[in-house]
Amino acid sequence: MAKVFGIVSTKGGVGKTSIAANIGGILADMGQHVLLIDGDFQQSLSDWFEITDKAEFGLRQFITKAQPTNCISSTAIDNLDIVLSDDPNGKLIDWFRASTNNVYYLLASIKRLSDYYDYVIIDSQGARGILQESIILASDSLICPLVPNVMESREFIRGTIQMLKSLEPPAGVSVPVPNIPPLYGVIYKQDRTNNSIKIANAIRKQFYQGSGGKISVLDTFVPNLTAYKKAVAAGLPVHRVEVTRSGPTPSAHDTILSLVHELLPHLSDTRPVWDKNNVSPIKKAAGGEE
Ligand SMILES: Nc1ncnc2c1ncn2[C@@H]1O[C@H](COP(=O)(O)OP(=O)(O)OP(=O)(O)O)[C@@H](O)[C@H]1O
Ligand SMILES: [Mg+2]
């Protein structure tokens, strides 16, 4: 039975696609069967990995037909497949508007794949809308990058938390609605300034205490490092790009592994394994280590 992670935030440019690609990539190298779904019409996740076997269709068919046949492409990373985004003009939104029921089609399509994958990871667009809502309803857990500055944390409260609240039934009304999944915040692009560390701690306290257990902030935080930018250019998951690092900041490999172990404690004895000689031509062009 696949576990489905939706990567959400109503804010753009905060690290959603990077989390989707890097968590998906490391889980695949840990021997898990992973399906990425690019739920953003900007197609950044679709462009991240080399595609070795491109399916005839992508996200539009995957959602509107509520079945995955001919929608799954293979990447150059073993165990890592992807439903590519093929909706650059956002036409899907018109289809969603045609019927309230359409918000459940993504969930239906993923359910048909549930026996084939261990994890499904869905990237989303940094905005609030019906596609994002359908991603939330299809997810078992949500992951939200939180950039530790005052403006970003206000946006998180105003945007992302209000979007989740709007999907809950009115108080006292008992209607059969699906559960809104728990949300894990990941402090993202943290630098080593006191201010950033203070804000990160305040975000932790505020959300853990105020949300009745629905929102928690993970202990692992993702530092602001160029390795994460290099990974996109190299078309690789970041744990392969920066395995070790000197100094007090943990390497990208150790950070992403720690994130996955915290989210999935039953994998805490499993580490990623990959063929270190198999460096893709794209990676060579992107240059060496930092
Ligand atoms: N840990 C990191 N340190 C430094 N830069 C990072 C880190 N993670 C991601 N980046 C860079 O930050 C930018 C935004 O990241 P990303 O594309 O993952 O965000 P996003 O939330 O998916 O954006 P969008 O809303 O446009 O889809 C990218 O240029 C990416 O390379
Ligand atoms: Mg993105």
Side-chain angles (χ1 to χ4, degrees), residues 9 11-19 22 40 42 44 48 123-127 145 188-190 222-230 232:
S9 170
K11 182 103 176 93
V14 287
K16 295 179 297 298
T17 302
S18 303
I19 289 190
N22 290 324
D40 185 352
Q42 291 184 97
S44 319
W48 193 296
D123 189 20
S124 70
Q125 194 203 344
Y188 203 82
K189 288 193 198 170
Q190 177 158 358
V222 179
N224 192 354
L225 288 180
T226 54
Y228 292 85
K229 289 185 192 287
K230 281 188 180 171
V232 197

mmCIF file of all heavy atoms in Angstrom, residues 9 11-19 22 40 42 44 48 123-127 145 188-190 222-230 232, ligand 1:
data_model
loop_
_atom_site.group_PDB
_atom_site.id
_atom_site.type_symbol
_atom_site.label_atom_id
_atom_site.label_comp_id
_atom_site.label_asym_id
_atom_site.label_seq_id
_atom_site.Cartn_x
_atom_site.Cartn_y
_atom_site.Cartn_z
ATOM 1 N N SER A 9 2.605 24.299 -0.381
ATOM 2 C CA SER A 9 2.781 25.597 0.261
ATOM 3 C C SER A 9 2.094 26.579 -0.661
ATOM 4 O O SER A 9 2.194 26.449 -1.887
ATOM 5 C CB SER A 9 4.256 25.965 0.388
ATOM 6 O OG SER A 9 4.349 27.313 0.788
ATOM 7 N N LYS A 11 2.983 29.415 -0.968
ATOM 8 C CA LYS A 11 4.044 30.360 -1.357
ATOM 9 C C LYS A 11 4.904 29.724 -2.448
ATOM 10 O O LYS A 11 5.215 28.532 -2.392
ATOM 11 C CB LYS A 11 4.866 30.630 -0.102
ATOM 12 C CG LYS A 11 5.965 31.616 -0.276
ATOM 13 C CD LYS A 11 5.572 32.970 0.308
ATOM 14 C CE LYS A 11 6.710 33.951 0.218
ATOM 15 N NZ LYS A 11 6.702 34.773 -0.948
ATOM 16 N N GLY A 12 5.343 30.527 -3.414
ATOM 17 C CA GLY A 12 6.222 30.031 -4.471
ATOM 18 C C GLY A 12 7.689 30.142 -4.077
ATOM 19 O O GLY A 12 8.049 30.936 -3.201
ATOM 20 N N GLY A 13 8.530 29.331 -4.715
ATOM 21 C CA GLY A 13 9.983 29.456 -4.573
ATOM 22 C C GLY A 13 10.538 29.096 -3.207
ATOM 23 O O GLY A 13 11.618 29.549 -2.841
ATOM 24 N N VAL A 14 9.820 28.255 -2.453
ATOM 25 C CA VAL A 14 10.273 27.959 -1.080
ATOM 26 C C VAL A 14 11.005 26.618 -0.962
ATOM 27 O O VAL A 14 11.568 26.321 0.094
ATOM 28 C CB VAL A 14 9.091 27.978 -0.072
ATOM 29 C CG1 VAL A 14 8.635 29.391 0.180
ATOM 30 C CG2 VAL A 14 7.937 27.106 -0.530
ATOM 31 N N GLY A 15 10.994 25.798 -2.004
ATOM 32 C CA GLY A 15 11.717 24.527 -1.954
ATOM 33 C C GLY A 15 10.861 23.283 -2.159
ATOM 34 O O GLY A 15 11.325 22.157 -1.950
ATOM 35 N N LYS A 16 9.617 23.452 -2.646
ATOM 36 C CA LYS A 16 8.727 22.293 -2.811
ATOM 37 C C LYS A 16 9.293 21.268 -3.795
ATOM 38 O O LYS A 16 9.380 20.073 -3.490
ATOM 39 C CB LYS A 16 7.338 22.737 -3.317
ATOM 40 C CG LYS A 16 6.572 23.586 -2.349
ATOM 41 C CD LYS A 16 5.234 24.015 -2.919
ATOM 42 C CE LYS A 16 5.356 24.892 -4.139
ATOM 43 N NZ LYS A 16 6.037 26.187 -3.920
ATOM 44 N N THR A 17 9.680 21.763 -4.987
ATOM 45 C CA THR A 17 10.161 20.837 -6.015
ATOM 46 C C THR A 17 11.449 20.158 -5.556
ATOM 47 O O THR A 17 11.648 18.952 -5.791
ATOM 48 C CB THR A 17 10.365 21.580 -7.345
ATOM 49 O OG1 THR A 17 9.118 22.166 -7.721
ATOM 50 C CG2 THR A 17 10.828 20.657 -8.451
ATOM 51 N N SER A 18 12.328 20.923 -4.887
ATOM 52 C CA SER A 18 13.586 20.330 -4.405
ATOM 53 C C SER A 18 13.305 19.220 -3.390
ATOM 54 O O SER A 18 13.957 18.173 -3.427
ATOM 55 C CB SER A 18 14.455 21.396 -3.745
ATOM 56 O OG SER A 18 14.699 22.431 -4.650
ATOM 57 N N ILE A 19 12.352 19.448 -2.502
ATOM 58 C CA ILE A 19 12.029 18.408 -1.521
ATOM 59 C C ILE A 19 11.469 17.176 -2.234
ATOM 60 O O ILE A 19 11.871 16.046 -1.950
ATOM 61 C CB ILE A 19 11.030 18.934 -0.463
ATOM 62 C CG1 ILE A 19 11.744 19.936 0.456
ATOM 63 C CG2 ILE A 19 10.411 17.796 0.343
ATOM 64 C CD1 ILE A 19 10.963 20.348 1.665
ATOM 65 N N ASN A 22 14.358 15.380 -4.139
ATOM 66 C CA ASN A 22 15.418 14.840 -3.285
ATOM 67 C C ASN A 22 14.925 13.729 -2.368
ATOM 68 O O ASN A 22 15.647 12.752 -2.139
ATOM 69 C CB ASN A 22 16.066 15.972 -2.483
ATOM 70 C CG ASN A 22 16.881 16.888 -3.395
ATOM 71 O OD1 ASN A 22 17.494 16.420 -4.347
ATOM 72 N ND2 ASN A 22 16.867 18.173 -3.121
ATOM 73 N N ASP A 40 2.532 20.569 -10.929
ATOM 74 C CA ASP A 40 2.725 22.002 -11.165
ATOM 75 C C ASP A 40 2.886 22.230 -12.656
ATOM 76 O O ASP A 40 3.734 21.586 -13.295
ATOM 77 C CB ASP A 40 3.988 22.480 -10.422
ATOM 78 C CG ASP A 40 4.194 23.985 -10.530
ATOM 79 O OD1 ASP A 40 3.456 24.644 -11.293
ATOM 80 O OD2 ASP A 40 5.104 24.489 -9.854
ATOM 81 N N GLN A 42 4.322 24.456 -14.150
ATOM 82 C CA GLN A 42 5.666 24.969 -14.494
ATOM 83 C C GLN A 42 6.636 23.853 -14.890
ATOM 84 O O GLN A 42 7.715 24.112 -15.408
ATOM 85 C CB GLN A 42 6.283 25.691 -13.300
ATOM 86 C CG GLN A 42 5.621 26.991 -12.935
ATOM 87 C CD GLN A 42 6.374 27.671 -11.800
ATOM 88 O OE1 GLN A 42 7.189 28.547 -12.029
ATOM 89 N NE2 GLN A 42 6.106 27.240 -10.577
ATOM 90 N N SER A 44 8.781 21.924 -13.336
ATOM 91 C CA SER A 44 10.163 21.867 -12.833
ATOM 92 C C SER A 44 10.551 20.446 -12.420
ATOM 93 O O SER A 44 11.681 20.014 -12.661
ATOM 94 C CB SER A 44 10.345 22.772 -11.619
ATOM 95 O OG SER A 44 9.688 23.975 -11.772
ATOM 96 N N TRP A 48 13.610 17.664 -13.935
ATOM 97 C CA TRP A 48 14.744 17.415 -13.016
ATOM 98 C C TRP A 48 15.575 16.201 -13.441
ATOM 99 O O TRP A 48 16.789 16.277 -13.608
ATOM 100 C CB TRP A 48 14.200 17.204 -11.602
ATOM 101 C CG TRP A 48 15.246 17.245 -10.522
ATOM 102 C CD1 TRP A 48 16.297 16.379 -10.352
ATOM 103 C CD2 TRP A 48 15.349 18.208 -9.467
ATOM 104 N NE1 TRP A 48 17.029 16.735 -9.250
ATOM 105 C CE2 TRP A 48 16.465 17.864 -8.686
ATOM 106 C CE3 TRP A 48 14.593 19.317 -9.092
ATOM 107 C CZ2 TRP A 48 16.854 18.577 -7.564
ATOM 108 C CZ3 TRP A 48 14.966 20.027 -7.970
ATOM 109 C CH2 TRP A 48 16.100 19.659 -7.226
ATOM 110 N N ASP A 123 4.365 16.866 -6.244
ATOM 111 C CA ASP A 123 4.795 18.268 -6.184
ATOM 112 C C ASP A 123 3.589 19.135 -6.555
ATOM 113 O O ASP A 123 2.701 18.700 -7.287
ATOM 114 C CB ASP A 123 5.935 18.498 -7.190
ATOM 115 C CG ASP A 123 6.584 19.872 -7.044
ATOM 116 O OD1 ASP A 123 6.440 20.494 -5.968
ATOM 117 O OD2 ASP A 123 7.238 20.320 -7.999
ATOM 118 N N SER A 124 3.542 20.357 -6.018
ATOM 119 C CA SER A 124 2.403 21.221 -6.337
ATOM 120 C C SER A 124 2.878 22.631 -6.648
ATOM 121 O O SER A 124 4.030 22.986 -6.387
ATOM 122 C CB SER A 124 1.408 21.242 -5.176
ATOM 123 O OG SER A 124 1.951 21.950 -4.076
ATOM 124 N N GLN A 125 1.954 23.420 -7.157
ATOM 125 C CA GLN A 125 2.270 24.807 -7.493
ATOM 126 C C GLN A 125 2.117 25.671 -6.244
ATOM 127 O O GLN A 125 1.253 25.391 -5.402
ATOM 128 C CB GLN A 125 1.302 25.278 -8.573
ATOM 129 C CG GLN A 125 1.716 26.555 -9.254
ATOM 130 C CD GLN A 125 0.525 27.268 -9.884
ATOM 131 O OE1 GLN A 125 -0.533 26.684 -10.066
ATOM 132 N NE2 GLN A 125 0.720 28.526 -10.218
ATOM 133 N N GLY A 126 2.975 26.701 -6.119
ATOM 134 C CA GLY A 126 2.923 27.555 -4.930
ATOM 135 C C GLY A 126 1.798 28.563 -4.979
ATOM 136 O O GLY A 126 2.021 29.751 -5.132
ATOM 137 N N ALA A 127 0.574 28.082 -4.895
ATOM 138 C CA ALA A 127 -0.599 28.952 -4.922
ATOM 139 C C ALA A 127 -1.743 28.158 -4.318
ATOM 140 O O ALA A 127 -1.593 26.980 -4.017
ATOM 141 C CB ALA A 127 -0.922 29.341 -6.357
ATOM 142 N N PRO A 145 7.702 23.163 3.082
ATOM 143 C CA PRO A 145 8.940 23.872 3.425
ATOM 144 C C PRO A 145 8.611 25.218 4.073
ATOM 145 O O PRO A 145 7.727 25.936 3.594
ATOM 146 C CB PRO A 145 9.640 24.075 2.078
ATOM 147 C CG PRO A 145 8.678 23.672 1.020
ATOM 148 C CD PRO A 145 7.466 23.095 1.624
ATOM 149 N N TYR A 188 13.471 25.356 6.070
ATOM 150 C CA TYR A 188 14.151 25.208 4.792
ATOM 151 C C TYR A 188 15.008 26.415 4.474
ATOM 152 O O TYR A 188 14.645 27.541 4.766
ATOM 153 C CB TYR A 188 13.084 25.011 3.695
ATOM 154 C CG TYR A 188 13.648 24.316 2.506
ATOM 155 C CD1 TYR A 188 13.762 22.937 2.486
ATOM 156 C CD2 TYR A 188 14.146 25.031 1.433
ATOM 157 C CE1 TYR A 188 14.343 22.296 1.428
ATOM 158 C CE2 TYR A 188 14.723 24.397 0.366
ATOM 159 C CZ TYR A 188 14.814 23.020 0.368
ATOM 160 O OH TYR A 188 15.398 22.381 -0.681
ATOM 161 N N LYS A 189 16.149 26.199 3.865
ATOM 162 C CA LYS A 189 17.107 27.254 3.516
ATOM 163 C C LYS A 189 17.509 28.047 4.747
ATOM 164 O O LYS A 189 17.568 29.271 4.719
ATOM 165 C CB LYS A 189 16.524 28.214 2.471
ATOM 166 C CG LYS A 189 16.416 27.623 1.091
ATOM 167 C CD LYS A 189 16.130 28.744 0.101
ATOM 168 C CE LYS A 189 15.584 28.204 -1.195
ATOM 169 N NZ LYS A 189 15.083 29.213 -2.080
ATOM 170 N N GLN A 190 17.740 27.322 5.839
ATOM 171 C CA GLN A 190 18.150 28.028 7.054
ATOM 172 C C GLN A 190 19.625 28.409 6.945
ATOM 173 O O GLN A 190 20.467 27.586 6.609
ATOM 174 C CB GLN A 190 17.928 27.138 8.281
ATOM 175 C CG GLN A 190 18.415 27.816 9.536
ATOM 176 C CD GLN A 190 17.777 27.263 10.795
ATOM 177 O OE1 GLN A 190 16.932 26.386 10.755
ATOM 178 N NE2 GLN A 190 18.207 27.771 11.916
ATOM 179 N N VAL A 222 16.805 21.962 6.600
ATOM 180 C CA VAL A 222 17.610 21.914 5.372
ATOM 181 C C VAL A 222 18.382 23.231 5.254
ATOM 182 O O VAL A 222 17.782 24.296 5.146
ATOM 183 C CB VAL A 222 16.717 21.691 4.139
ATOM 184 C CG1 VAL A 222 17.550 21.680 2.866
ATOM 185 C CG2 VAL A 222 15.932 20.391 4.282
ATOM 186 N N PRO A 223 19.720 23.177 5.295
ATOM 187 C CA PRO A 223 20.504 24.418 5.209
ATOM 188 C C PRO A 223 20.486 25.030 3.810
ATOM 189 O O PRO A 223 20.158 24.352 2.831
ATOM 190 C CB PRO A 223 21.935 23.968 5.553
ATOM 191 C CG PRO A 223 21.857 22.549 5.918
ATOM 192 C CD PRO A 223 20.554 21.988 5.441
ATOM 193 N N ASN A 224 20.840 26.284 3.776
ATOM 194 C CA ASN A 224 20.969 27.015 2.517
ATOM 195 C C ASN A 224 22.347 26.695 1.921
ATOM 196 O O ASN A 224 23.358 27.193 2.404
ATOM 197 C CB ASN A 224 20.848 28.513 2.855
ATOM 198 C CG ASN A 224 20.675 29.369 1.632
ATOM 199 O OD1 ASN A 224 20.746 28.876 0.509
ATOM 200 N ND2 ASN A 224 20.457 30.640 1.835
ATOM 201 N N LEU A 225 22.408 25.838 0.912
ATOM 202 C CA LEU A 225 23.695 25.407 0.352
ATOM 203 C C LEU A 225 23.620 25.335 -1.166
ATOM 204 O O LEU A 225 22.578 24.961 -1.716
ATOM 205 C CB LEU A 225 24.036 23.986 0.848
ATOM 206 C CG LEU A 225 24.452 23.767 2.290
ATOM 207 C CD1 LEU A 225 24.733 22.289 2.505
ATOM 208 C CD2 LEU A 225 25.684 24.594 2.619
ATOM 209 N N THR A 226 24.727 25.619 -1.819
ATOM 210 C CA THR A 226 24.712 25.579 -3.289
ATOM 211 C C THR A 226 24.568 24.156 -3.828
ATOM 212 O O THR A 226 24.175 23.977 -4.978
ATOM 213 C CB THR A 226 25.987 26.210 -3.890
ATOM 214 O OG1 THR A 226 27.108 25.573 -3.303
ATOM 215 C CG2 THR A 226 26.067 27.692 -3.643
ATOM 216 N N ALA A 227 24.866 23.150 -3.008
ATOM 217 C CA ALA A 227 24.716 21.767 -3.478
ATOM 218 C C ALA A 227 23.290 21.525 -3.982
ATOM 219 O O ALA A 227 23.070 20.774 -4.942
ATOM 220 C CB ALA A 227 25.025 20.786 -2.343
ATOM 221 N N TYR A 228 22.301 22.178 -3.369
ATOM 222 C CA TYR A 228 20.904 21.956 -3.752
ATOM 223 C C TYR A 228 20.634 22.538 -5.134
ATOM 224 O O TYR A 228 19.809 22.012 -5.881
ATOM 225 C CB TYR A 228 19.962 22.544 -2.691
ATOM 226 C CG TYR A 228 20.043 21.763 -1.394
ATOM 227 C CD1 TYR A 228 21.033 22.052 -0.448
ATOM 228 C CD2 TYR A 228 19.176 20.705 -1.137
ATOM 229 C CE1 TYR A 228 21.143 21.321 0.725
ATOM 230 C CE2 TYR A 228 19.283 19.972 0.036
ATOM 231 C CZ TYR A 228 20.267 20.282 0.954
ATOM 232 O OH TYR A 228 20.373 19.540 2.101
ATOM 233 N N LYS A 229 21.327 23.625 -5.462
ATOM 234 C CA LYS A 229 21.179 24.198 -6.809
ATOM 235 C C LYS A 229 21.917 23.331 -7.832
ATOM 236 O O LYS A 229 21.465 23.130 -8.944
ATOM 237 C CB LYS A 229 21.746 25.619 -6.846
ATOM 238 C CG LYS A 229 20.903 26.626 -6.081
ATOM 239 C CD LYS A 229 21.483 28.013 -6.288
ATOM 240 C CE LYS A 229 20.895 29.039 -5.343
ATOM 241 N NZ LYS A 229 19.530 29.416 -5.660
ATOM 242 N N LYS A 230 23.085 22.808 -7.403
ATOM 243 C CA LYS A 230 23.867 21.952 -8.314
ATOM 244 C C LYS A 230 23.092 20.690 -8.682
ATOM 245 O O LYS A 230 23.212 20.177 -9.793
ATOM 246 C CB LYS A 230 25.168 21.532 -7.637
ATOM 247 C CG LYS A 230 26.232 22.610 -7.668
ATOM 248 C CD LYS A 230 27.526 22.040 -7.151
ATOM 249 C CE LYS A 230 28.635 23.082 -7.164
ATOM 250 N NZ LYS A 230 29.824 22.614 -6.471
ATOM 251 N N VAL A 232 19.927 20.255 -9.178
ATOM 252 C CA VAL A 232 18.979 20.501 -10.286
ATOM 253 C C VAL A 232 19.745 20.505 -11.602
ATOM 254 O O VAL A 232 19.340 19.856 -12.572
ATOM 255 C CB VAL A 232 18.295 21.895 -10.183
ATOM 256 C CG1 VAL A 232 17.071 21.959 -11.059
ATOM 257 C CG2 VAL A 232 17.973 22.273 -8.765
HETATM 258 N N1 LIG B 1 18.576 24.059 0.438
HETATM 259 C C1 LIG B 1 18.731 24.948 -0.530
HETATM 260 N N2 LIG B 1 19.717 25.867 -0.476
HETATM 261 C C2 LIG B 1 19.861 26.792 -1.439
HETATM 262 N N3 LIG B 1 19.059 26.893 -2.527
HETATM 263 C C3 LIG B 1 18.058 26.010 -2.648
HETATM 264 C C4 LIG B 1 17.843 24.997 -1.665
HETATM 265 N N4 LIG B 1 16.785 24.259 -2.081
HETATM 266 C C5 LIG B 1 16.363 24.787 -3.238
HETATM 267 N N5 LIG B 1 17.110 25.832 -3.587
HETATM 268 C C6 LIG B 1 16.918 26.703 -4.756
HETATM 269 O O1 LIG B 1 15.818 27.581 -4.480
HETATM 270 C C7 LIG B 1 15.024 27.793 -5.643
HETATM 271 C C8 LIG B 1 13.562 27.424 -5.364
HETATM 272 O O2 LIG B 1 13.499 26.036 -5.062
HETATM 273 P P1 LIG B 1 12.306 25.134 -5.624
HETATM 274 O O3 LIG B 1 12.199 25.265 -7.109
HETATM 275 O O4 LIG B 1 12.479 23.782 -5.062
HETATM 276 O O5 LIG B 1 11.051 25.868 -4.946
HETATM 277 P P2 LIG B 1 9.494 25.688 -5.270
HETATM 278 O O6 LIG B 1 8.762 25.952 -3.998
HETATM 279 O O7 LIG B 1 9.246 24.411 -5.948
HETATM 280 O O8 LIG B 1 9.268 26.887 -6.305
HETATM 281 P P3 LIG B 1 7.953 27.109 -7.210
HETATM 282 O O9 LIG B 1 6.889 27.681 -6.307
HETATM 283 O O10 LIG B 1 8.422 28.092 -8.274
HETATM 284 O O11 LIG B 1 7.550 25.798 -7.781
HETATM 285 C C9 LIG B 1 15.681 26.970 -6.733
HETATM 286 O O12 LIG B 1 16.529 27.806 -7.473
HETATM 287 C C10 LIG B 1 16.486 25.920 -5.988
HETATM 288 O O13 LIG B 1 17.610 25.490 -6.727
#
